[in-house]
Amino acid sequence: MSDDEKKVVPQRREAEKREAEVRGAIREELSGDASDALIAHAGKEDAGAPVIEVDRVHLAFDDNVILDDVSLVAHQGETICVVGESGTGKSTTLKLILRLLVPDRGTVCIRGKDITKLSFNDALLVRQTMGMVFQGAALFDSMTVFENVAYPLREHTKMSEDEIEERVRQKLAFVDLDVDRVIDMSPAELSGGMRKRVGIARGMANDAEIMLYDEPTSGLDPLTTATITRLIMKLQKELKVTSVVVAHDIRSVFRMATRVALLHDRRIVFFGTPEEMTASEDKYIRDFLGGL
Amino acid sequence: MPAFLDRLNASAKSGVHTVQEYATLAFKALRFVFARPFYAQDLVQQMDEIGVKSLGIVLLTGLFTGMVLALQSSVQLAQFGATMYIGRLVAGSMIRELGPVLAGLMVAGRVGSGIAAQIGSMRVTEQIDALNTLGTDPIKKLVTPRLLAALIMLPVLTVINDLVGIIGGNVIATLSVGVPAGVYWRTVWEQIISGGFTFRYLPNDFLQGLAKPFVFGGIIALTGCYFGLNTTGGTEGVGQATTRTVVTSSILILVVDYFLTQLMLSVLL
């Protein structure tokens, strides 16, 4: 066993133990009165400080209301999955967290700091602490895989070329890619699953503390979907990143989510653990989960 | 309010909005020229893309324009027995008007469409959002290098276009009209100095002929970037952005050319 693995295993155990505790605590409280306030309280006590707080956000383009009174909290190390039908503003929620969009009302706080009122340049700084994985990976197709992953490092750090190369190789290896084979390829030569992995490697290149994924498994076969899901869980467990995942595939959602937010009709109609979601008697939730 | 007034109101608003956004883009792109970090590599790459790779079409355009100018004017001038003044006519038209405008139109077709298509597809595949997310201002990374490259390269291309055009005129004047090369080049020089000088050594013709492509370069790069950045609706949107860029920048070049000429004639003469 290498030194790295020796370090990682106890961390993983610790994270798993904590996760089990959190879920246990919530389940206990659920046996009583399952009010939203109680769930939020349980989360705050057991899952570290809130990292992302979306508070009563309202967003409309002209007369078209996209989000109405939407609130979300992600604590340190949590994976929040945002699910819902197409066109309910799931990706928009991610763009609000990245401050690619500014809400009409309400606040979005990252580590307690309201980002809705930041200037454009300050917003660029906040974004550097976040890694975003886009639906189609959004790799820069005028650059090689290496240059793509190196981009945030060259842009924002004073690392030497050797350090950058080392970091890029490390990140590509972390996402289980054959480093020597892919490093000089152009994005067009990669398969869908590989593009997603490179996208994840680029998102985490700057050691991001917050990872946002926009439909990381859409358009992938079931096997690749499973490996990408595993990768997201690996990031959560080994690097303790806080993640928000917008997803369609309910099976992978239940595997990776610490909490699930269900968007319906511009609002969040459910925000809780996967266990609570499956136990829910609400008709819309039952319909949404379908055969499960 | 009647329905048609409503529509008029809406379209006027969106028109003003477009102009405002275009101006904001221009302002930001120019401001970033002086702000760190500098994307020197992107600038060199764009100068290659906009300048060096447009050389071929500009050479061809210039050569044939000069040749046809000499041919047509020889017919007209022959009526007054003034064919020896072909050089004046060719040089005057090339340097003041045709050189800048034709170079501008050709580059608008070749480069403007390319800029719009590239930035447009980056927009629809979320690469622009990715740049933003990675903490880079897309205007600084994409628009500023293209604008700067076009501002530098268009005057250079125009000078080449002018020169090749005048050489083309020389070929026709000497071979098919029978004006000796020495006479041709002397009349070319007469034309250049006849417009007067600015700062004693810079012929006004040159000033006019170089100010125009500078402005046209800005129009081409900004229009391409503007439509590219505002692309919506997938691959179809990219096609629309490309078409709009070529049409809009060509029209802008022709319209702005008229007003620039008016302005410079009243200032310089």
Side-chain angles (χ1 to χ4, degrees):
Chain A
M1 199 190 272
S2 76
D3 282 354
D4 273 358
E5 284 171 38
K6 271 182 200 159
K7 260 183 264 164
V8 164
V9 171
Q11 276 179 4
R12 195 186 301 172
R13 290 224 180 91
E14 195 189 319
E16 278 169 2
K17 212 175 110 196
R18 206 178 60 193
E19 196 184 310
E21 278 172 11
V22 172
R23 293 194 178 182
I26 292 171
R27 238 174 266 125
E28 268 180 33
E29 296 200 22
L30 274 179
S31 54
D33 183 17
S35 79
D36 285 349
L38 271 175
I39 294 166
H41 181 67
K44 267 178 196 148
E45 270 205 343
D46 296 307
V51 177
I52 304 167
E53 292 169 278
V54 178
D55 189 24
R56 282 164 296 165
V57 157
H58 179 94
L59 180 78
F61 296 125
D62 296 326
D63 295 334
N64 186 12
V65 179
I66 310 289
L67 294 173
D68 186 21
D69 203 22
V70 165
S71 301
L72 263 185
V73 185
H75 296 274
Q76 178 66 45
E78 264 194 313
T79 300
I80 305 285
C81 285
V82 182
V83 296
E85 291 165 74
S86 302
T88 44
K90 303 194 294 290
S91 303
T92 312
T93 314
L94 290 186
K95 289 188 174 163
L96 283 169
I97 297 172
L98 280 166
R99 204 186 171 278
L100 292 175
L101 292 171
V102 181
D104 304 327
R105 285 200 298 276
T107 57
V108 180
C109 295
I110 303 296
R111 299 194 181 285
K113 195 171 163 198
D114 185 2
I115 60 165
T116 54
K117 292 182 183 64
L118 292 182
S119 72
F120 188 81
N121 283 329
D122 290 338
L124 288 180
L125 289 177
V126 174
R127 278 182 212 136
Q128 286 169 31
T129 65
M130 299 190 231
M132 167 88 185
V133 181
F134 288 88
Q135 199 169 353
L139 302 177
F140 302 125
D141 28 47
S142 56
M143 304 179 189
T144 64
V145 167
F146 172 80
E147 288 167 329
N148 262 287
V149 182
Y151 188 87
L153 305 172
R154 288 192 171 146
E155 198 68 3
H156 303 299
T157 66
K158 292 200 167 65
M159 293 168 90
S160 70
E161 275 304 301
D162 287 343
E163 287 170 314
I164 288 177
E165 164 129 24
E166 197 195 320
R167 177 79 76 88
V168 170
R169 286 179 170 273
Q170 180 208 334
K171 296 299 178 193
L172 286 174
F174 187 91
V175 297
D176 302 323
L177 280 168
D178 183 351
V179 179
D180 289 309
R181 198 165 74 87
V182 300
I183 199 158
D184 288 321
M185 286 168 110
S186 78
E189 296 172 272
L190 303 176
S191 71
M194 286 158 94
R195 292 170 69 97
K196 288 269 161 69
R197 283 162 201 257
V198 177
I200 294 174
R202 183 177 70 182
M204 59 187 280
N206 223 347
D207 290 331
E209 295 157 352
I210 299 171
M211 288 294 284
L212 308 170
Y213 304 85
D214 191 1
E215 310 219 352
T217 58
S218 73
L220 298 177
D221 63 87
L223 215 60
T224 318
T225 300
T227 55
I228 297 286
T229 309
R230 213 175 296 145
L231 194 56
I232 295 173
M233 291 161 77
K234 185 173 159 192
L235 249 86
Q236 181 200 2
K237 285 182 180 150
E238 293 185 11
L239 306 174
K240 302 252 170 47
V241 294
T242 311
S243 324
V244 178
V245 187
V246 163
H248 265 311
D249 180 29
I250 204 76
R251 261 172 56 191
S252 28
V253 165
F254 278 3
R255 279 181 65 194
M256 60 192 165
T258 48
R259 279 191 285 177
V260 184
L262 176 60
L263 268 171
H264 174 56
D265 202 18
R266 304 165 196 146
R267 289 163 181 276
I268 288 189
V269 293
F270 172 84
F271 185 46
T273 63
E275 287 88 344
E276 289 163 28
M277 196 169 184
T278 43
S280 169
E281 299 294 325
D282 184 88
K283 184 167 182 316
Y284 182 74
I285 297 176
R286 294 244 62 89
D287 284 351
F288 186 81
L289 295 180
L292 273 169
Chain B
M1 220 191 293
F4 87 94
L5 275 183
D6 260 347
R7 272 208 306 278
L8 191 70
N9 183 25
S11 71
K13 259 188 201 160
S14 88
V16 172
H17 187 65
T18 305
V19 172
Q20 184 194 337
E21 281 195 332
Y22 192 93
T24 315
L25 181 69
F27 175 74
K28 278 188 184 162
L30 281 174
R31 203 189 51 189
F32 281 136
V33 170
F34 307 103
R36 283 173 186 283
F38 303 111
Y39 294 104
Q41 208 187 338
D42 290 292
L43 176 65
V44 173
Q45 197 192 338
Q46 288 306 320
M47 283 171 75
D48 180 52
E49 190 62 45
I50 294 172
V52 180
K53 290 186 179 155
S54 301
L55 207 54
I57 55 164
V58 166
L59 284 174
L60 272 177
T61 323
L63 183 70
F64 281 95
T65 313
M67 280 162 58
V68 83
L69 264 179
L71 206 56
Q72 287 282 16
S73 52
S74 73
V75 177
Q76 302 293 320
L77 292 172
Q79 294 175 3
F80 310 103
T83 44
M84 63 173 288
Y85 289 116
I86 285 183
R88 283 194 82 141
L89 240 156
V90 172
S93 337
M94 280 310 290
I95 295 173
R96 288 167 165 225
E97 283 302 330
L98 290 173
V101 171
L102 286 178
L105 290 177
M106 295 312 283
V107 173
R110 207 198 80 88
V111 175
S113 59
I115 291 175
Q118 197 197 359
I119 296 186
S121 48
M122 286 183 81
R123 162 62 79 197
V124 297
T125 56
E126 294 184 306
Q127 290 178 53
I128 304 281
D129 285 339
L131 274 178
N132 255 324
T133 312
L134 293 170
T136 304
D137 190 327
I139 295 180
K140 187 165 180 44
K141 171 86 179 162
L142 299 172
V143 182
T144 301
R146 282 167 176 77
L147 177 64
L148 210 52
L151 290 179
I152 297 169
M153 294 318 277
L154 248 243
V156 175
L157 286 172
T158 301
V159 169
I160 294 168
N161 197 16
D162 293 348
L163 187 67
V164 173
I166 295 171
I167 291 172
N170 180 18
V171 171
I172 295 302
T174 311
L175 293 184
S176 82
V177 187
V179 178
V183 176
Y184 179 84
W185 284 99
R186 208 179 61 231
T187 53
V188 166
W189 181 245
E190 277 172 13
Q191 167 62 31
I192 291 171
I193 59 172
S194 70
F197 291 86
T198 303
F199 307 128
R200 202 180 231 186
Y201 299 112
L202 183 68
N204 279 342
D205 273 19
F206 284 6
L207 194 67
Q208 218 188 104
L210 286 176
K212 282 177 180 177
F214 190 71
V215 176
F216 297 163
I219 289 175
I220 293 165
L222 283 175
T223 311
C225 292
Y226 176 79
F227 284 115
L229 286 174
N230 288 301
T231 302
T232 49
T235 43
E236 205 186 318
V238 177
Q240 279 173 2
T242 317
T243 315
R244 275 192 200 144
T245 299
V246 177
V247 172
T248 310
S249 49
S250 303
I251 290 175
L252 274 179
I253 284 173
L254 293 170
V255 173
V256 168
D257 179 56
Y258 172 79
F259 288 105
L260 272 180
T261 309
Q262 184 93 60
L263 178 78
M264 279 188 286
L265 284 181
S266 59
V267 170
L268 296 176
L269 287 180

